[in-house]
Amino acid sequence: MKNIFLRLLLILIIGLPCKRTFSQVSSEEIDAIVQKAMESFSVAGAAVAVVKDGKIVHQKGYGLTSIDGKTKVDEHTNFGIASNSKAFTTAALALLVEEGKLSWTDKVIDHIPEFKMYNDYVTQNFNIQDLLTHRSGLGLGIGDLMFFPDGSDFTVDDILSSFQHFKPESAFRTKFDYDNLLYIVAGEVIHRVSGKTWEQFISERIFAPLQMDHSFASYTFIKDKSNVASPHLSNDKQITLVEPEQWDPSKLNGAAGGIYSNVNDLANWMLMQLNEGKYGENLEQQLFTEASQREMWKIHTTLNANRNPRYNSHFNGYGLGWFLTDVRGNIMVSHTGGLIGMLSKTVLIPDLDLGIVVLTNTFLDGAGVYSSVTQSILDKYLGLEEFDWNGFYVERLNQSNHEADEIVATIWSTIDAADQSKLDLNNYTGIFEDQWFGKIEISQKGERLWFSSYRSPKVSGPMYYYKANTFVAKWESASLPDADAFVMFQLDEEGKAQSIKMKGISPAIDFSFDFHDLDLHRVIED
């Protein structure tokens, strides 16, 4: 009898749910956190939503939609969410998997026969999940110059044909290197399998059921822009307005980062995610199954864990459209997004039934806002001691900017002192071509060389002599902040330029300005 009693007691103890107690945080406390961050960083505007235990506990806008106006940000103000769009793309694919229209392990060539990677083995074995997990073997941000900055004429067909020309930096499926182009391919898979464009599919199958009525799959779809945040750049506390990045969805889909949304709509998105795909007033409807969510929230590509003892993390990696790690024994699902002038972050803690989203319209200080706000709110829910995240990120950004500014200033000092009087600039002029980026022209305007891309007009500007056979291209467009680049010529025995290599001069250059991936060779004229 004692044995039976002990066994029953053990079963009861083991079977009882371990309900952990976490701190509750009021909307007023969240508001104070955001207000303090807005004071610490130079940003035009921001919006924040927090969901907890199935309810929206905070949603509010801060600052202005544009420094040139007086419109205040509110919970319905639309921001470009950039790479936070990737989770919508993977959710869309999950719906097609559940309908039996494709499998996660389908080969890409089964749906896009002309898809071709850098070698035949990778082409034949590249599957749907490989498009989503940043393990292709290609380098960080490779090929992004085809759509960053905006205004180029590259199409999905150009993207599909580009991969065969890229050189891998690691073995297939062995290393994480963030990739945008492959998400555009994923968007094309959705198009070919469903018969709908990526934009149509996202709007009809995700936005509509979740009542994300004021979200748009493309900036070009927003007819009334009266409550759309304008992008800004911050430099030495000075904020300047820039033109929004926009892509023609008839040429390139937005699967890598095209969505414009607001914290009110994204609160519904987070609630659905935290309810394992269920939504509706009584969770009576289901967008995708729990099994699909487990697949999206499973680590497919490993990363090094953050060993900060404050969070006691043990693992880190990338799932399908989400970064995955643990904080104090709780899984954290998150992603960030960045366009020129737009930065955002989404954080989900399923164990706490907690979701946080921060949208900002200022680059680069917006990263300080979304980082400090999300971590300060998370710390409160975890019951951790208060930490000055604002001060931490202010110092971190200042140090990074200072180091980058010093390096760039040294380069320009060298340029100012350089003597180009003995150079024959005609030796450097001509048309040069890269296999995936197309043609560029080096011409002479007055006493200066000029760089012009045929297919991406914003990649244009004067060139300044640096040393040896190297110049620096200073881009005219504000769409390329901190992106000025070395232009390094290789000459033949007669001193005539035959090829060009490039790389950014600033350590702060965004990885999407991948000038270093260009391999330009002189076009032989008939």
Side-chain angles (χ1 to χ4, degrees):
M1 184 67 75
K2 285 183 180 180
N3 286 339
I4 294 174
F5 175 77
L6 288 172
R7 286 173 62 190
L8 288 172
L9 182 61
L10 185 61
I11 291 170
L12 283 170
I13 292 172
I14 295 173
L16 286 173
C18 298
K19 183 72 174 179
R20 287 177 286 178
T21 302
F22 296 98
S23 301
Q24 294 300 313
V25 185
S26 68
S27 179
E28 290 75 19
E29 289 177 286
I30 295 168
D31 187 60
I33 287 171
V34 184
Q35 294 282 7
K36 191 172 181 181
M38 293 292 289
E39 294 168 4
S40 300
F41 299 93
S42 298
V43 294
V48 178
V50 178
V51 299
K52 180 77 170 74
D53 300 329
K55 297 178 181 179
I56 300 174
V57 298
H58 183 83
Q59 56 175 347
K60 187 177 177 181
Y62 302 83
L64 300 173
T65 61
S66 170
I67 57 171
D68 280 1
K70 297 181 179 179
T71 303
K72 294 183 177 180
V73 176
D74 61 28
E75 68 272 24
H76 299 291
T77 300
N78 275 327
F79 294 75
I81 69 169
S83 286
N84 276 293
S85 304
K86 288 180 169 66
F88 288 82
T89 298
T90 60
L93 287 165
L95 297 180
L96 294 172
V97 170
E98 291 177 7
E99 292 170 3
K101 294 182 177 179
L102 59 78
S103 164
W104 289 119
T105 55
D106 279 358
K107 303 297 188 289
V108 175
I109 56 173
D110 292 341
H111 301 285
I112 306 178
E114 69 271 31
F115 177 75
K116 189 175 182 180
M117 290 295 288
Y118 48 84
N119 69 43
D120 187 59
Y121 174 83
V122 177
T123 299
Q124 296 299 320
N125 289 278
F126 213 89
N127 66 32
I128 301 299
Q129 289 188 341
D130 292 323
L131 295 173
L132 313 171
T133 47
H134 310 296
R135 61 188 187 190
S136 67
L138 297 174
L140 173 66
I142 197 165
D144 280 2
L145 270 178
M146 283 191 277
F147 69 109
F148 285 117
D150 63 332
S152 73
D153 67 358
F154 291 100
T155 66
V156 169
D157 289 339
D158 292 316
I159 301 294
L160 290 172
S161 66
S162 68
F163 299 100
Q164 62 187 304
H165 303 303
F166 297 143
K167 294 180 180 179
E169 291 193 2
S170 60
F172 181 39
R173 293 179 182 157
T174 62
K175 182 176 176 290
F176 178 93
D177 271 305
Y178 196 84
D179 193 297
N180 284 307
L181 295 191
L182 290 168
Y183 265 82
I184 294 175
V185 178
E188 180 64 10
V189 170
I190 292 169
H191 181 201
R192 299 200 186 186
V193 171
S194 71
K196 298 178 182 293
T197 66
W198 175 86
E199 287 78 9
Q200 288 174 318
F201 196 95
I202 296 297
S203 300
E204 295 173 12
R205 299 293 302 276
I206 299 179
F207 290 167
L210 295 182
Q211 297 184 331
M212 298 177 67
D213 299 329
H214 296 93
S215 296
F216 300 88
S218 169
Y219 179 83
T220 61
F221 293 170
I222 308 175
K223 294 180 180 178
D224 180 5
K225 294 183 171 62
S226 59
N227 198 15
V228 177
S230 298
H232 300 78
L233 300 177
S234 61
N235 186 17
D236 291 332
K237 303 296 183 182
Q238 297 297 314
I239 302 176
T240 56
L241 187 66
V242 292
E243 289 295 316
E245 291 186 289
Q246 47 187 311
W247 295 270
D248 181 352
S250 68
K251 293 180 179 178
L252 287 177
N253 65 61
I259 292 173
Y260 264 69
S261 190
N262 56 82
V263 295
N264 180 259
D265 283 1
L266 291 170
N268 291 343
W269 167 250
M270 293 193 296
L271 287 169
M272 180 276 298
Q273 291 283 350
L274 292 167
N275 284 307
E276 298 170 335
K278 297 184 180 68
Y279 66 97
E281 189 173 346
N282 299 308
L283 302 182
E284 70 280 1
Q285 299 182 76
Q286 189 119 24
L287 187 72
F288 50 69
T289 64
E290 183 181 349
S292 287
Q293 187 178 72
R294 283 200 300 270
E295 190 67 26
M296 289 183 277
W297 286 5
K298 178 176 74 176
I299 289 180
H300 292 266
T301 307
T302 58
L303 293 162
N304 292 328
N306 181 352
R307 294 304 178 186
N308 184 346
R310 182 177 183 83
Y311 296 111
N312 194 30
S313 299
H314 298 86
F315 64 83
N316 188 23
Y318 199 86
L320 305 181
W322 294 100
F323 286 95
L324 304 158
T325 189
D326 62 318
V327 289
R328 291 284 176 176
N330 306 283
I331 186 172
M332 182 171 81
V333 184
S334 68
H335 215 289
T336 58
L339 298 173
I340 301 304
M342 294 280 177
L343 292 169
S344 58
K345 186 169 186 176
T346 306
V347 175
L348 302 171
I349 313 290
D351 295 335
L352 276 62
D353 202 3
L354 170 69
I356 307 164
V357 62
V358 181
L359 310 177
T360 70
N361 63 342
T362 308
F363 185 95
L364 181 64
D365 274 30
V369 170
Y370 77 49
S371 297
S372 61
V373 167
T374 54
Q375 288 187 243
S376 297
I377 294 172
L378 177 58
D379 284 359
K380 278 193 172 292
Y381 277 107
L382 290 172
L384 297 176
E385 291 182 9
E386 190 170 328
F387 181 82
D388 182 15
W389 287 113
N390 291 318
F392 174 83
Y393 283 109
V394 165
E395 182 179 350
R396 190 169 175 178
L397 284 173
N398 286 342
Q399 181 179 352
S400 176
N401 290 338
H402 177 70
E403 291 173 354
D405 289 346
E406 281 193 334
I407 290 171
V408 171
T410 300
I411 290 168
W412 282 105
S413 294
T414 302
I415 290 171
D416 291 339
D419 178 11
Q420 69 172 49
S421 61
K422 295 182 181 180
L423 289 179
D424 182 356
L425 295 183
N426 289 321
N427 285 331
Y428 301 92
T429 59
I431 297 171
F432 299 79
E433 187 172 17
D434 174 82
Q435 288 182 299
W436 58 268
F437 191 63
K439 293 178 180 177
I440 66 101
E441 183 173 2
I442 307 295
S443 59
Q444 187 172 345
K445 292 187 178 182
E447 297 181 356
R448 201 169 300 288
L449 293 178
W450 195 274
F451 188 108
S452 301
S453 165
Y454 280 24
R455 304 198 65 178
S456 185
K458 289 184 179 179
V459 182
S460 173
M463 295 167 60
Y464 297 82
Y465 180 61
Y466 177 62
K467 62 174 69 171
N469 297 315
T470 299
F471 293 74
V472 167
K474 188 171 183 59
W475 313 119
E476 286 195 310
S477 175
S479 296
L480 292 93
D482 296 318
D484 296 340
F486 286 120
V487 181
M488 300 167 284
F489 292 90
Q490 286 78 47
L491 312 182
D492 64 12
E493 69 279 5
E494 299 297 329
K496 189 75 171 177
Q498 298 301 309
S499 61
I500 297 172
K501 290 288 189 180
M502 298 177 68
K503 67 177 181 178
I505 70 170
S506 173
I509 189 172
D510 189 277
F511 67 77
S512 286
F513 299 127
D514 62 317
F515 296 107
H516 53 276
D517 291 318
L518 295 174
D519 187 15
L520 294 153
H521 292 267
R522 179 179 289 279
V523 174
I524 305 300
E525 300 175 358
D526 295 332

